[in-house]
Amino acid sequence: MAHVITPITRLLIANRGEIARRIIRTAHDMGISTVAIYADGDAQAPFVKEADSAVALDGRTTAQTYLDVDKVLAACQRSGADAIHPGYGFLSENEAFAQAVIDAGIKWLGPTPEVIGLMGDKLSAKRLMDEAGVPTLPGIEISAETDIIAAAKEIGYPVLVKASAGGGGRGMRVVEKADDLLAAVEGAKREAGSSFGDDTVFLEKWLAVSRHVEIQILGDTHGNLVHCYERECSIQRRHQKIIEEAPSPAVTEAIRASMGDAAIAAAKKLGYSSAGTVEFLLSGDDFYFLEVNARLQVEHPITEEIIGKDLVREQIRVAEGEALSFTQEDLSINGHAIEARLYAEDPAKGFLPAPGPVLAWTPSTVGQARFDSGVETGSEISTQFDPMIAKVIVHAPTRREAAGRLARVLETTEIQGLRTNRDFLVATLRTGEFLAGDTTTDFIERVEPARVRDVARQELVEAAIAVAMEAQAQRRNKAKVLRSLPSGWRNSTMPMEQFSFRCGDDDIDVAYRLHRDGRFRLLCDEQEHLIEAYECGAGTVDIDDNGRRLQFTVQAHGNDWLVHGAAGDLVLQEQPRFPDSSLDANTGGLTAPMPGSVLATEVAAGASVTKGDLLLIMEAMKMEHRITAPRDGVIETVHVTIGDQVDNGQLLVSMAEE
């Protein structure tokens, strides 16, 4: 019997950022028109510009926009789209949304609503896997009647408090002892309700040392199923993946076959179609079912790289009624792929989100990397959404080569204007433990890769020289008079021109004077440099320093100079010639570590607190952050109330010594 094929002509992407751009790319390659939807803050985002048309959702927050089923469906009807791709997150695993799309006569690019309902509820998924003979970890649902303390004791500590809906590390807490259990459950319920609209949580046995290994599955509506081998996603912070690779260095051919068979058995029991992932915890040679993600995964590019297939293309073809374009026998593993997630966050402050403007974004051309990004120079990483900047993917013949190339790609990518985890990712990829494949889920706590880059004094000096050369050239270019005279020319002997910079806790002073032969004589750290400037004044600095060629990109932003060189990015703050006496540091206060909203206040004026006591709870980018007392003392004033939106550095609480 011939397959009934109904081609998609216009595809609405019910998502944003890098995944929206990635779906648009494949749709355009297949000759399909695309429609973007967007929140107020995304109006100028790259994904909106790249779609063939776009519809405003008239709202600022996630709940007002990408999670609003009625608005998304109305946008689809208005645009004339005949299909919806939900990407990942947001409504991608919302059974009611999927059903509403189908009921409206629109093609749904994902598994059936029934499957989403079964797998979106992690508790029902565990029960089904038990029936299918797939090993699972002990778990207990928490309801109003549950004796939570007794349930945790039955499972045995440590336990994981886990949201039944959603994913991405939200609504998850590891609990080591009974004293912390109730607060963890309440926090997980709040976070799950905020992120997924469902605050159901359950307890599960926590394996402190294991590997997170998942199997990519694909199915069509004709009963064909394949698995596309495994990905390892063990390197995580806050239960959210940051480095993924395929294949796993710990998976043998025997484990791969067994795990692949288990994933196919699970998919068959569900009658699975479209793309999905069956996730497992691997401990030694034993593996345990974790969950099924009934959608495209963030880390799908590494699977695409090792099998040479486009998973989004297959999703589109399946929705059109086509059979999968390949069989299990057609697939094989080619080389090794590693993906790093570049986030706007501060590793030195516990990986707290660090939203802000992207003042410079230039993906590296080294190492033939694939960049799936949602930003460009001038974009803004908002507090409303996930802080991901880009996914950076490298495919190489061997794992060691992939790791080395990815580290260098990240190092040579220019990303300025906000704090990122880039240097932490580079350090992780270069640890002996990572290179040896020793990548269990406790990797960050156990190995402790450097969270910030150690910048050598020589690098600071070279950057300061580059800025001095760029600054003098820019000022010369802006001169209103005597433009024919060379920079720094004097008709008498004058003191050398001076620059003072600060980078973190380091101060760098540079003095320079123009020689008659056109070179510059610079003094820095009591060392003399003879500089020949080949190019400067337009953002690119190419100089010869005593016979050593140095190249940088340099741009000014207020008093900051953004410098990108061979070793990475630096920000040099140009210091004023005279101190600003109006600047007086606040003392005795506790400030917001990032922009966000106040969820709860736990103290009042006059209360005595000890170091570590909970003062208030903030939310930023759908994650909760507990603000605790940095020392013993007495609360003088609580400057915020529940619901307040606060900026980074805003005073929250004033404390006095007890």
Side-chain angles (χ1 to χ4, degrees), residues 485-552:
L485 295 181
S487 176
W489 182 89
R490 298 290 185 273
N491 63 357
S492 61
T493 302
M494 299 287 288
M496 299 179 79
E497 297 291 320
Q498 302 274 347
F499 280 105
S500 292
F501 303 105
R502 173 161 290 178
C503 182
D505 295 328
D506 292 295
D507 293 313
I508 314 102
D509 296 321
V510 178
Y512 72 90
R513 176 183 289 144
L514 180 68
H515 272 201
R516 291 186 181 276
D517 62 5
R519 292 185 297 172
F520 288 85
R521 175 175 175 257
L522 283 94
L523 295 177
C524 187
D525 284 1
E526 300 181 352
Q527 296 291 318
E528 183 175 86
H529 302 261
L530 287 177
I531 303 295
E532 184 170 356
Y534 298 112
E535 182 180 359
C536 54
T540 299
V541 176
D542 184 355
I543 57 178
D544 182 297
D545 179 5
N546 294 334
R548 184 162 180 250
R549 194 73 170 258
L550 302 173
Q551 294 178 319
F552 298 87

Side-chain angles (χ1 to χ4, degrees), residues 73-88:
L73 285 174
C76 190
Q77 300 282 10
R78 181 180 175 188
S79 69
D82 52 4
I84 286 180
H85 195 308
Y88 57 75

